[in-house]
């Protein structure tokens, strides 16, 4: 997998992967520190102030399930 934050692009086996903005933000965070485990609070903080307030606390878990498909 290749994550290109500057181009807002993700490629998997050469194919472009369509992600919504929140999924992309979480993926960028996870890709920035392979092997590191992030808390829900750290993920929400990374996603930014106002955006994080609009997201229910369970949302990162839902996106995590998406990532394990």
């Amino acid at each position: 997998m290749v994550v290109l934050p500057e181009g807002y692009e993700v490629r998997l086996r050469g194919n472009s992967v369509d992600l919504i903005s929140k999924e992309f933000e979480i993926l960028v965070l996870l890709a920035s520190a392979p092997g590191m485990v992030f808390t829900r609070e750290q993920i929400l903080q990374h996603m930014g102030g106002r955006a994080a307030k609009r997201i229910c606390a369970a949302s990162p878990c839902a996106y995590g399930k998406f990532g394990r498909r």
Side-chain angles (χ1 to χ4, degrees), residues 2-69:
V2 178
V3 179
L4 305 167
E6 62 282 348
Y8 202 82
E9 182 179 6
V10 176
R11 295 198 153 278
L12 181 62
R13 296 182 195 106
N15 298 312
S16 182
V17 178
D18 293 327
L19 300 173
I20 63 172
S21 62
K22 290 177 184 72
E23 293 168 337
F24 184 80
E25 290 175 31
I26 293 171
L27 186 57
V28 168
L29 174 65
L30 298 175
S32 72
M36 185 170 174
V37 176
F38 292 92
T39 65
R40 178 179 297 140
E41 290 77 23
Q42 289 171 314
I43 293 170
L44 290 173
Q45 184 177 30
H46 172 78
M47 294 175 72
R50 285 186 286 165
K53 290 178 185 174
R54 291 191 310 262
I55 300 170
C56 122
S59 292
C61 294
Y63 290 120
K65 290 177 186 175
F66 168 81
R68 289 190 291 268
R69 284 188 209 164

